[in-house]
Amino acid sequence: LNTGKSIVNLRQGLETRNGKVVNQIGSTYPIIDNKRVVGAIELGNFININYKDKNNKKNNVNIFKKKIRYAKNGTCYCLDDIITQNTKMVDIKKQIERCGNTDSTVLIQGSTGTGKELVAQSIHNCSKRKEKPFVSQNCGAIPESLFESILFGTTKGSFTGAEEKDGLFKIAEGGTLFLDEINSLSVECQIKLLRAIEERRIRKIGSSAEHSTNVRIIIATNEDLNKLVKEKRMREDFYFRLSVVKIELPDLCERKDDIELLSNYFIERYNEEFGLNLRYISEDVLKVFKSYSWPGNVRELRNVIEASFNKTMDDKIKVNDLPEWVKKCIFIPHFEVSINKTMEHGLKEFMKNCEKNIILEAYEKCNNNLSMTARQLKISRQLLKYKIDSYN
């Protein structure tokens, strides 16, 4: 308004009335009438995350708008948050859409970090219950003595210090109750939960009255429930009732075609969150990611990208920026793969590849400083230069 000049792509932090800071990239333009500034108009984008799908087409997910939309029901994820081009995961997304139209009990089975709660929230937000609450509870965090009171509620005076309190079934009325780590429940607790699911009726501790309940149940486990049944750690009727719809999530090492896509997604996410401008992961890092076993799955990949953001001084993530626990595993899988290919290419080619990888790692670790790299490898600078040139 004062200068009559446009302000383009200004990054700002806007504080909401709840004290939360929201990032905005805005452009402001003057409105001019007869050479006089009479006003201004501002266009703002809030926390946009861009990622590329398998067709290299950009997709936009507006986190700010999405969180406002779903905050009322207790979720922050929807189907669009499942970032994938893997065939099996695409089929799982279709299955989520289908079972979102029913009220059947769903069993989600997958290792730690594969995204079980993300899937559970997506089912809820694909269903007719999406306007109602989504309530999540980790069963491994419930002491057996408190199981009934937490799930079904208590009446005042039912035991010393007891207050009138609703349980999770009541809190989730009309919506979805998500019970994670169901494998940690004792057989006695399984019987009580099975009755509530079968009869759709609950009774508070200390009360003689039963109440009907309208809640969809979604269960998750990181163990094979068939195995628990065989070991008598889970009742067979409980297992059959839970697994009406079964979704098995693959480990990240089984969906390596998603690693680059997910990495780019997390890079864009942390660019917005930290106000940085990293562009991509290096080719060497991608090779490391595809050879690494990822015991923590997608959650571990996300943490590795975030950790690398706090270390890199470049516009890309390099091998030297990775956390130590990943770097320690770098050459083990590569060496095993190379051994298998020795018969194809011969010992000479195998040794050249090993030497090339060692030089590359040392060169990156020394920030591409030739003299420092030569000292670390205990060879002359001239020999190092010759090897770098010969390996192109």
Side-chain angles (χ1 to χ4, degrees):
L1 289 171
N2 289 331
T3 67
K5 295 179 181 178
S6 301
I7 300 171
V8 181
N9 291 336
L10 176 67
R11 186 183 294 271
Q12 302 176 83
L14 307 179
E15 188 173 337
T16 70
R17 63 180 179 181
N18 297 323
K20 183 177 179 181
V21 175
V22 177
N23 289 320
Q24 181 215 33
I25 298 176
S27 297
T28 311
Y29 303 95
I31 300 171
I32 299 173
D33 180 32
N34 290 327
K35 298 182 180 181
R36 186 171 67 91
V37 178
V38 295
I41 182 168
E42 178 166 285
L43 308 175
N45 288 323
F46 294 91
I47 311 183
N48 282 314
I49 291 179
N50 303 315
Y51 63 91
K52 292 181 180 179
D53 62 20
K54 62 183 178 181
N55 298 316
N56 211 36
K57 180 183 176 183
K58 274 200 167 186
N59 296 287
N60 297 314
V61 181
N62 193 306
I63 297 296
F64 182 70
K65 290 181 180 177
K66 183 194 69 180
K67 286 194 174 180
I68 288 177
R69 180 182 174 186
Y70 292 117
K72 292 180 181 178
N73 68 9
T75 69
C76 55
Y77 299 117
C78 63
L79 196 63
D80 288 339
D81 289 303
I82 303 176
I83 310 301
T84 187
Q85 60 186 11
N86 177 266
T87 305
K88 186 171 183 179
M89 286 300 297
V90 169
D91 288 341
I92 286 173
K93 289 182 74 169
K94 292 176 183 176
Q95 187 179 4
I96 288 170
E97 285 189 280
R98 285 196 300 272
C99 68
N101 296 320
T102 72
D103 283 333
S104 299
T105 305
V106 181
L107 168 64
I108 305 169
Q109 190 168 303
S111 305
T112 300
T114 49
K116 296 185 288 295
E117 178 143 1
L118 190 157
V119 170
Q121 291 190 18
S122 298
I123 293 170
H124 179 76
N125 285 324
C126 282
S127 75
K128 60 188 177 185
R129 297 174 177 267
K130 64 184 175 184
E131 302 299 329
K132 299 294 183 178
F134 176 91
V135 178
S136 176
Q137 175 64 51
N138 188 316
C139 295
I142 305 178
E144 188 174 347
S145 58
L146 298 178
F147 176 79
E148 280 188 274
S149 60
I150 289 174
L151 259 69
F152 308 134
T154 57
T155 56
K156 189 173 182 178
S158 55
F159 55 86
T160 305
E163 297 291 333
E164 190 71 31
K165 190 175 180 181
D166 290 331
L168 296 181
F169 270 85
K170 180 65 175 176
I171 295 169
E173 180 65 24
T176 300
L177 177 59
F178 173 56
L179 300 174
D180 198 3
E181 292 192 28
I182 197 71
N183 46 291
S184 63
L185 286 184
S186 68
V187 173
E188 290 73 21
C189 291
Q190 291 172 28
I191 295 171
K192 294 167 185 174
L193 180 57
L194 177 62
R195 182 175 178 272
I197 295 173
E198 285 281 5
E199 299 180 8
R200 293 184 176 272
R201 297 186 69 80
I202 58 171
R203 183 169 58 196
K204 286 185 175 183
I205 292 179
S207 173
S208 58
E210 284 193 341
H211 301 279
S212 61
T213 179
N214 175 24
V215 173
R216 183 181 195 168
I217 304 294
I218 300 179
I219 308 290
T221 175
N222 56 12
E223 287 190 73
D224 184 354
L225 296 190
N226 281 304
K227 183 182 177 184
L228 297 188
V229 171
K230 290 176 184 176
E231 294 173 353
K232 306 296 183 184
R233 291 166 55 199
M234 177 167 284
R235 289 174 59 95
E236 196 171 32
D237 54 352
F238 186 63
Y239 168 68
F240 289 140
R241 187 63 187 85
L242 296 184
S243 55
V244 176
V245 178
K246 190 173 182 180
I247 296 175
E248 295 188 59
L249 298 179
D251 289 348
L252 184 57
C253 61
E254 298 173 38
R255 43 185 289 214
K256 291 188 177 180
D257 50 339
D258 276 344
I259 287 177
E260 186 174 10
L261 183 69
L262 286 165
S263 297
N264 290 334
Y265 172 81
F266 290 131
I267 284 172
E268 291 296 335
R269 169 177 167 174
Y270 289 121
N271 272 335
E272 292 292 348
E273 192 170 321
F274 299 149
L276 297 174
N277 191 30
L278 263 72
R279 289 162 48 213
Y280 53 87
I281 57 175
S282 70
E283 284 297 319
D284 291 330
V285 169
L286 184 58
K287 288 176 185 176
V288 170
F289 281 4
K290 288 191 174 181
S291 63
Y292 184 56
S293 61
W294 296 110
N297 294 294
V298 179
R299 184 185 296 142
E300 185 182 7
L301 174 61
R302 182 194 67 196
N303 292 341
V304 166
I305 296 293
E306 183 178 1
S308 302
F309 258 77
N310 286 276
K311 196 173 180 183
T312 186
M313 301 297 290
D314 208 338
D315 64 346
K316 64 181 176 182
I317 295 174
K318 299 177 293 186
V319 172
N320 197 43
D321 301 321
L322 300 177
E324 291 302 320
W325 81 84
V326 177
K327 286 197 286 187
K328 284 178 183 177
C329 302
I330 287 175
F331 287 106
I332 296 173
H334 177 79
F335 184 72
E336 290 172 351
V337 172
S338 298
I339 285 286
N340 293 332
K341 292 187 176 180
T342 304
M343 297 301 291
E344 297 175 28
H345 303 291
L347 181 61
K348 187 176 180 181
E349 188 67 27
F350 168 66
M351 295 302 291
K352 281 175 63 179
N353 285 333
C354 284
E355 185 178 60
K356 179 180 177 180
N357 284 321
I358 290 168
I359 291 172
L360 269 173
E361 187 193 18
Y363 195 51
E364 286 196 345
K365 193 173 182 181
C366 296
N367 295 318
N368 299 350
N369 184 300
L370 209 63
S371 299
M372 194 185 299
T373 307
R375 285 196 298 273
Q376 186 181 31
L377 295 175
K378 294 182 171 60
I379 60 175
S380 69
R381 190 179 185 278
Q382 290 78 8
L383 179 57
L384 176 62
K385 183 71 167 66
Y386 168 78
K387 288 181 180 292
I388 286 176
D389 290 340
S390 63
Y391 289 132
N392 193 25

